[in-house]
Amino acid sequence: MSLISMPERFTDGEVDVCTLRRRIDVIDRDIIELLHARRKLSRQVQHGRTDTGGPRLVPAREAEITETYRASFGTAGNTLASALLRICRGEPDA
Ligand SMILES: C=C(O[C@@H]1C=C(C(=O)O)C=C[C@H]1O)C(=O)O
């Protein structure tokens, strides 16, 4: 069955899809909130370093973080870490 023809009220065991989607939406909002918190902390570290004459970014630390995500999610984890780090670096379109 294609996604387009899938009925909106199908159930997965006892729970209907609307309930599951509400839970997914809550998790997505939590993830976004955590990302804002992460970006704030990351910028504090970056500004602390540049204020004392250091580099804003530390590639070795970013590689560690990327590896953490890769270990959980494979190549999609690399992509996820890359997007996460772009957001936290405060790059123009992030
Ligand atoms: C926050 C830091 O600064 C930068 C941002 C990072 C991050 O968002 O995780 C990681 C490394 C640095 O490029 C840090 O060094 O920990």
Side-chain angles (χ1 to χ4, degrees), residues 38 42 45-46 49 56-59 61-62 65 85 88:
R38 190 192 192 285
S42 178
V45 175
Q46 293 172 54
R49 216 168 20 237
R56 188 164 69 84
L57 302 178
V58 178
R61 169 72 179 150
E62 295 195 3
I65 291 162
L85 290 165
C88 292

Side-chain angles (χ1 to χ4, degrees), residues 20-31:
L20 296 173
R21 282 180 175 169
R22 276 197 299 273
R23 289 187 199 160
I24 289 170
D25 289 344
V26 168
I27 289 173
D28 283 340
R29 280 196 293 274
D30 287 349
I31 290 171

Side-chain angles (χ1 to χ4, degrees), residues 6-92:
M6 188 184 284
E8 286 294 294
R9 305 272 331 149
F10 78 90
T11 59
D12 175 8
E14 300 295 296
V15 190
D16 74 77
V17 71
C18 292
T19 302
L20 296 173
R21 282 180 175 169
R22 276 197 299 273
R23 289 187 199 160
I24 289 170
D25 289 344
V26 168
I27 289 173
D28 283 340
R29 280 196 293 274
D30 287 349
I31 290 171
I32 289 167
E33 202 175 301
L34 286 170
L35 280 173
H36 281 291
R38 190 192 192 285
R39 179 168 62 181
K40 195 171 169 191
L41 292 171
S42 178
R43 286 180 176 176
Q44 269 179 256
V45 175
Q46 293 172 54
H47 291 148
R49 216 168 20 237
T50 52
D51 287 353
T52 55
R56 188 164 69 84
L57 302 178
V58 178
R61 169 72 179 150
E62 295 195 3
E64 272 177 18
I65 291 162
T66 301
E67 175 51 25
T68 300
Y69 281 85
R70 194 210 56 75
S72 281
F73 301 112
T75 53
N78 281 334
T79 308
L80 185 57
S82 166
L84 175 87
L85 290 165
R86 274 181 63 201
I87 289 167
C88 292
R89 288 186 207 113
E91 288 172 0

